[in-house]
Amino acid sequence: MIRRFAAAYGVDMSEAARGLGDFSSFNDFFTRELKPGVRPLADADSFILSPADGAVSQLGTITQGRIFQAKGREFTAAELLGDGAEAAQRFEGGSFITIYLSPKDYHRVHMPAAGVLQSTAYIPGDLFSVNAQTADGVDRLFARNERLACLFGGPVGAFASVMVGAMIVAGIDTVWPHRSSGHGRELVREDFTPDGRQFAAGDEMGRFYLGSTVVLLFEPGRVAWIDGLRAGDPVRMGQAIGQRLKDGQ
């Protein structure tokens, strides 16, 4: 099955640390690690890094609490964060970017900037596909699917990395211990303050088992997306996707 999947989706195994015959299970293959050095990191003192391989679904500004999904469709930051109205208020007027990971992509998720883990919310939900066609056709897609919203604080201020599950997803996992097992029915919030785990930009924070999307939220005055970056553009983990703004300027 692994060989057929790799061939059908055009998985680039030249970047993988192990060969096709070296995986113990399909999930082991799907969450494969990369060879050292194949994803060089941009200068994290100047830039926000892409958290994953994939393609930009949308990017822009959070306006009146709303995040653009596709023409005629949007959802709120509070919904995305699990009705976290207080947390969502911090991001009003800030920046968002949504990155879609296709089946062929590397499926580990990394830190876009240095930060300290403050809290998480596991939000149960649907498992719609998250590809471009579904994003165009399903209202509030990313605020309806199962997801894990992770809040951090760091030199770029508060930011959120929201891992959104999708059709056939077997799990959303993190590098830290957590209480949510996935496919649950109850919202699970966890507080990691005052001694939250510290991460450097580019550190691995989690992984997906099958299809997925990552949504990043930043406070206002912290990030300016790279000129020319548009919906549909491919990105690789570690590349510069945003310019860090110093002192909110």
Side-chain angles (χ1 to χ4, degrees):
M1 185 172 69
I2 291 171
R3 292 183 184 278
R4 289 179 179 178
F5 183 96
Y9 287 101
V11 176
D12 184 359
M13 292 302 298
S14 69
E15 298 181 329
R18 292 178 283 166
L20 281 173
D22 298 328
F23 299 101
S24 61
S25 66
F26 184 81
N27 278 344
D28 186 31
F29 156 72
F30 199 78
T31 58
R32 61 195 175 276
E33 64 272 48
L34 298 177
K35 293 176 181 176
V38 299
R39 293 292 183 275
L41 303 181
D43 179 10
D45 289 332
S46 300
F47 299 104
I48 299 299
L49 312 184
S50 175
D53 287 8
V56 176
S57 177
Q58 295 293 342
L59 74 169
T61 302
I62 302 165
T63 305
Q64 296 182 340
R66 308 194 74 81
I67 297 170
F68 181 70
Q69 175 180 304
K71 185 176 181 180
R73 304 189 191 279
E74 55 189 10
F75 54 93
T76 71
E79 289 173 328
L80 182 71
L81 298 173
D83 293 324
E86 182 177 348
Q89 186 60 38
R90 309 172 73 172
F91 301 115
E92 175 59 35
S95 303
F96 80 90
I97 189 168
T98 305
I99 296 174
Y100 165 67
L101 289 71
S102 74
K104 69 179 177 61
D105 288 320
Y106 167 66
H107 267 68
R108 299 193 183 194
V109 180
H110 295 250
M111 293 290 290
V116 177
L117 178 65
Q118 296 180 336
S119 66
T120 62
Y122 164 75
I123 304 108
D126 298 315
L127 290 174
F128 289 109
S129 171
V130 289
N131 61 29
Q133 291 79 10
T134 313
D136 286 344
V138 176
D139 283 334
R140 301 171 40 254
L141 172 63
F142 304 117
R144 291 172 63 177
N145 269 16
E146 180 180 37
R147 58 203 180 277
L148 183 72
C150 306
L151 295 177
F152 298 88
V156 296
F159 62 96
S161 178
V162 184
M163 299 173 65
V164 183
M167 186 172 59
I168 322 177
V169 169
I172 298 171
D173 206 357
T174 62
V175 299
W176 60 84
H178 55 87
R179 297 203 314 268
S180 58
S181 58
H183 305 322
R185 296 186 177 183
E186 302 293 332
L187 187 148
V188 179
R189 295 190 186 277
E190 295 190 67
D191 185 357
F192 292 88
T193 59
D195 301 314
R197 180 166 176 165
Q198 296 190 29
F199 293 88
D203 282 353
E204 182 185 343
M205 59 162 283
R207 60 190 67 175
F208 287 110
Y209 299 91
L210 287 179
S212 40
T213 287
V214 179
V215 184
L216 300 179
L217 310 180
F218 292 91
E219 292 181 302
R222 297 290 187 172
V223 175
W225 300 123
I226 294 293
D227 286 345
L229 189 63
R230 298 286 185 269
D233 287 351
V235 292
R236 283 192 158 195
M237 190 282 289
Q239 83 173 63
I241 57 173
Q243 183 82 41
R244 281 184 54 178
L245 301 179
K246 304 299 184 181
D247 300 320
Q249 300 297 317

